Structure formats: C-alpha cells, structure tokens
C-alpha cells in the first residue's frame, strides 16, 4: 500500500499522478474535495493510468464531474446507507412523512 497526500486547491496533480503511476497502484482512494478528486482522476486517465478510483460521497457532486469530465466514468463512490430505509426506523419515518418533514427516495 502506498499513501500519498495532496493539498486542496491545486490544479496540477502531475507529480502525484506520476508517483502513483510509478508505484503501479491498482486502486486510488480519493479522500479530498470533489473538484480536486475530479482533477486527479482526469489527470490519471490522461497519463494512461487504469487504476480504479474510489472516493467518498463528495464525489457525487457536480464539482467532481465538471473537473473529471468523461474520465470520471467508472469511479466508485462509497456512502453510508440511508437510515430511513432501516426497518427499525419505519415508525419515525412515518411520523416525519405525516408532518412533511422528510421524504425518502421514491416516496
């Protein structure tokens, strides 16, 4: 495992991408901001890297896709499950819906 860090707010991640490529990494976990993550993924693809990119739910934002463009396709995103879908939350969700305080997907 290789751990590398980057600064937020950057635009050129070529040195980082070069180190990742030289290390022949197969998976890159992006724990930073969406825009920077998008730039890193795009620059990885431009460098010919095929490593799988994975990141947190911030990568679901428009900022990621604007920065990554088509290079973002195939990026995996992790996020916690919706607690409102848990069976033990059904009564609370029902009460929230009655007061129009919460709407789950598909509701």
């Amino acid at each position: 495992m290789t751990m590398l860090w980057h600064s937020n707010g950057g635009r050129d991640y070529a040195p980082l991408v070069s180190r990742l490529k030289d290390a022949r990494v197969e998976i890159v976990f992006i724990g930073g901001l969406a825009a920077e993550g998008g730039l890193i993924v795009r620059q990885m693809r431009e460098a010919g890297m095929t490593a799988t990119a994975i990141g947190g739910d911030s990568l679901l934002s428009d900022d990621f896709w604007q920065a990554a463009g088509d290079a973002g396709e195939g990026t995996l995103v992790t996020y916690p499950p919706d607690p409102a879908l848990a069976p033990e939350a059904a009564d609370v969700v029902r009460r929230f819906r009655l007061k129009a305080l919460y709407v789950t997907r598909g509701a």
Side-chain angles (χ1 to χ4, degrees), residues 27-50:
I27 297 171
V28 175
F29 185 87
I30 299 168
L33 300 175
E36 286 81 355
L39 290 171
I40 291 168
V41 170
R42 187 179 78 216
Q43 292 173 25
M44 285 171 43
R45 301 301 176 241
E46 290 170 350
M49 289 185 65
T50 59

Side-chain angles (χ1 to χ4, degrees), residues 73-96:
E73 290 295 325
T75 299
L76 302 178
V77 178
T78 64
Y79 53 91
D82 184 346
L85 300 177
E88 59 271 18
D91 185 54
V92 172
V93 171
R94 181 187 60 74
R95 288 184 284 158
F96 272 45

